[in-house]
Amino acid sequence: MRSWILLVGLCLSFLAKASDRDAIRWEIYTGNFVKAKADIKKTLFRRVISPEKKIQLYDELGLIDKLEGDIDQALFHWERANYLRKKTYAANDYHLALNYAFLSNYHYEKMNKDAARLYADSCEKLITKLTIAQQKEIEIHRIWNILAQSYKMQIDWNDSVNYKFYIKKINGLYEKSIEFQKRHIFSQHFLAKTYHLLGNFHLDIGSLYNIRGDKSLSKSYFELADQTYDKSLEIWEKLYGFKHYERAKTLFLKGLLYHYSEKIVTQFEDRCLFYFKESLNAHNIGVNDKRMSEIPNKEDLLMCFKHYTNALILRSKKDKKYLYQARRVNQMAIKCWELIHQEHQTNTINYNLALYSLVPHQETIFIESNLDPDDMDINKIFVANQKLKHYDLTKKIKSKPYHQESINEVQKKLLGDELLLDFHFSEYTSKVLIIKVTRTKVELLEIPLNTRKFVESIISRNYNDFLRASRHLFKQLFPKGINETKKIIICGDGELNYVPFEALLVSSKNLFTGDYRKLDYLVRHCEIEYLMNTSLLNERITNVPLRIAAYAPENKSLQLASLPFSIALTYHLEANYHARTYTRDKANTASFIQNKAPIVHLSSHGLINENPENSALSFSDRLFCISDIQRIQHPPTLLVLNNCNSGKGRILTGDGVDGFVRAFQGIGVKTVLSNLWEVDDKISNEMLSRFYLHLSEQDNSVQALRKSQLEQINEAPNEKLAAPYYWGGHRLLGELLRVEKDEKLSISDFWWILLVIPLVMLPLFIGPSLRNPFSKT
């Protein structure tokens, strides 16, 4: 009897678990993400819950986060599930394939193709010989879809063998997924999603063939995409009717398909706008609807607004009425962007949106700057540019409630001899928009600015090329000269983040001497400060104690060139400023991560990649990656990264450079001094030695660097060593810093006093006891 009761109990328990998951899945499928999250968390707090059940629930939480567009929060939940899977299943168990699949999916969303492929390959190894029952258990069709997406990133159009292999492989994975779902009667929801993803693949391939000029193959893939999207739409409509977030996304991609097809088939011109409007209707909002806060997946909605605006902007070249329509849609996009910022849990949401160029303020700037003069509002352009640049970082940095400052507010902060240059690179015109602001005047310029020749001439040390490029760039930026300007504040954008403005030539003075020492550089005339965002202008100067931890590692296993002058500088810092030094083997990642000094100096090799996840700084024990930065518990106030190319990374549209500098500032480092190219070991360290000297003499950080640059120019032993290559590559970004004049003493700094005091006092206590008690004195 007891066995029967136990069996019935187990069956009811199994059915309850199944029904729980089905109910949660239904809530997700119907867009009730808030209810789904609440039910999952309620279930997780139960006293008795199996590891398998927990794994499923964390997987579902990650899925919801992904649908909402918060991929970093999705990773947080997937990693919890992955940890439990590793504890529950043996090594190389097929269940662990899901770990690799989710990590591959995360790196796909982050556009890190190398990591996405690495995890996809590891996943594929674990699912090669599974039974049908095992495949059904882990819902292998979901894994095949993820693998297909990750492998899509690996297509190399310069290698015909590569792209033919991957097109065939990806298509095969999607077809397997569809066939498997049809045969084993899985949820129609996921079948529709698979058709949607396959349509995306056809759209991507068609677009790439279009770029290559193969109109026939491009048209063929566009037609396949159209048919596949229709299959997806048919299922969405049967399941949920006409108002559903997944149907809205498929309709948006139909609009995108016709947008790309217009160059091939001219009668598609109006279909693109039609499907963008239909997508908004499927989201259950119109262009002026106020119910946007109810939309479950606002990132997809923002994507629709973004491309709808782009389509209208392109049509405005023929008819300006489209520009005013674009303005209305763009206003809705901004509202959507603001709601995303309010709702998302992670602090990197603007970074994620910038990665996919979804931040809507580029369009705001283009629209406002191209309206009729009576309608144009330069302040809207200025504020929109603030919303673009390092938005997440500036929100965290500012102690007071964050708001985008108007031009008038910024002007009040400027002194009479200061000039602010706020740059914006327009993807629509390939020109640079410059807002020039002084205390009394505002000017808007748009010019075709090519900075690469200037930077290349510095790195190549070609004197004549440098003269031409430098003078040309200066005249473009300052057609009327710099007059009485004593300080220029630069808020860059795009490639301008890599431009050493200090090296611009103000005049033709001594051009034909062939001597870099005699040239009239901008740094001779002005202090130059670089800001992440104009809202950070003239924030209070941060005082920092002159306590330095200096690192100069050598990693013999990497076979990198030795840096003897980097090691010499650490000893110099130790001798003159009592710095704690970590050289060669002692300069390891553990000591760097655990360090508590307010000023940290690192001189080593930088292995910098355009994809920041693949970048690293060299330490004695291993490479220090961007992901390691989150482990630092006590961020320094000033970090000097004397590593080659440490100031470079992936340029995010309108949102600065994604690399080590941004990542360190993201954890609270106030100011970072980095390198824009492969600097010279000897001269770079000599300059930094002067930098620390001037800091110790109460110059602020910008003044200290400027003096170091001028001394390198003026005191160079020959004309070649005064070239900007040797002194122009150091970039300070962040708050102005000044060393504290009278550093307060602390017990931790003077622990030896505690030992000395007892020794000094000892005779006073023991002396009387040694005297003769019968003596008269």
Side-chain angles (χ1 to χ4, degrees), residues 36-92:
K37 281 183 177 179
D39 286 348
I40 290 172
K41 289 174 181 177
K42 183 179 177 181
T43 308
L44 283 170
F45 280 115
R46 288 178 185 168
R47 288 187 179 181
V48 181
I49 180 171
S50 69
E52 293 84 1
K53 180 69 173 175
K54 277 188 178 180
I55 290 166
Q56 290 177 356
L57 293 173
Y58 281 124
D59 284 345
E60 301 298 353
L61 277 174
L63 174 62
I64 296 169
D65 295 326
K66 182 189 170 186
L67 287 169
E68 289 180 325
D70 199 344
I71 193 65
D72 291 293
Q73 187 67 12
L75 179 65
F76 172 77
H77 287 123
W78 285 339
E79 285 184 330
R80 286 194 167 192
N82 291 353
Y83 171 75
L84 289 171
R85 254 189 290 267
K86 284 181 180 179
K87 286 183 67 178
T88 306
Y89 301 105
N92 297 321

Side-chain angles (χ1 to χ4, degrees), residues 596-610:
K596 295 182 181 179
I599 299 175
V600 173
H601 175 99
L602 172 64
S603 283
S604 73
H605 289 283
L607 309 174
I608 306 302
N609 191 287
E610 284 190 5

Side-chain angles (χ1 to χ4, degrees), residues 93 209 293 389 391 402 422 516 522 534 610:
D93 186 282
Y209 274 122
S293 60
K389 295 177 182 178
Y391 180 79
Y402 183 85
D422 193 18
Y516 279 109
L522 185 59
T534 53
E610 284 190 5

Side-chain angles (χ1 to χ4, degrees), residues 113 151-164 166 208 212:
K113 71 174 188 176
Y151 288 134
K152 189 168 67 173
M153 297 182 75
Q154 312 308 316
I155 296 174
D156 180 0
W157 287 95
N158 295 317
D159 183 344
S160 61
V161 175
N162 169 287
Y163 73 72
K164 287 175 183 176
Y166 276 114
L208 290 167
R212 287 169 61 86

Side-chain angles (χ1 to χ4, degrees), residues 523-534:
V523 71
R524 295 188 188 276
H525 297 263
C526 307
E527 287 182 23
I528 299 175
E529 181 180 353
Y530 297 91
L531 291 179
M532 289 186 288
N533 187 298
T534 53

Side-chain angles (χ1 to χ4, degrees), residues 575-675:
N576 290 276
Y577 310 109
H578 308 293
R580 289 190 176 183
T581 58
Y582 303 84
T583 59
R584 298 185 173 89
D585 293 343
K586 291 180 181 179
N588 54 50
T589 52
S591 63
F592 184 75
I593 289 168
Q594 295 164 9
N595 174 71
K596 295 182 181 179
I599 299 175
V600 173
H601 175 99
L602 172 64
S603 283
S604 73
H605 289 283
L607 309 174
I608 306 302
N609 191 287
E610 284 190 5
N611 193 325
E613 287 84 358
N614 297 333
S615 294
L617 305 175
S618 172
F619 279 82
S620 62
D621 56 333
R622 65 177 178 88
L623 293 176
F624 182 89
C625 303
I626 278 190
S627 58
D628 291 316
I629 292 173
Q630 295 301 321
R631 297 169 57 197
I632 295 174
Q633 298 298 313
H634 304 280
T637 305
L638 169 64
L639 175 63
V640 176
L641 292 177
N642 192 28
N643 308 75
C644 293
N645 298 304
S646 55
K648 301 181 82 170
R650 172 170 49 200
I651 292 176
L652 298 175
T653 304
D655 194 33
V657 178
D658 180 19
F660 273 102
V661 174
R662 183 190 181 98
F664 276 113
Q665 288 175 326
I667 64 163
V669 177
K670 298 199 180 289
T671 304
V672 181
L673 194 157
S674 61
N675 295 336

Side-chain angles (χ1 to χ4, degrees), residues 248-265:
K249 189 168 184 178
T250 306
L251 285 166
F252 154 67
L253 283 158
K254 282 265 287 187
L256 205 58
L257 165 66
Y258 286 115
H259 178 64
Y260 290 144
S261 303
E262 285 174 10
K263 293 178 182 177
I264 302 171
V265 185

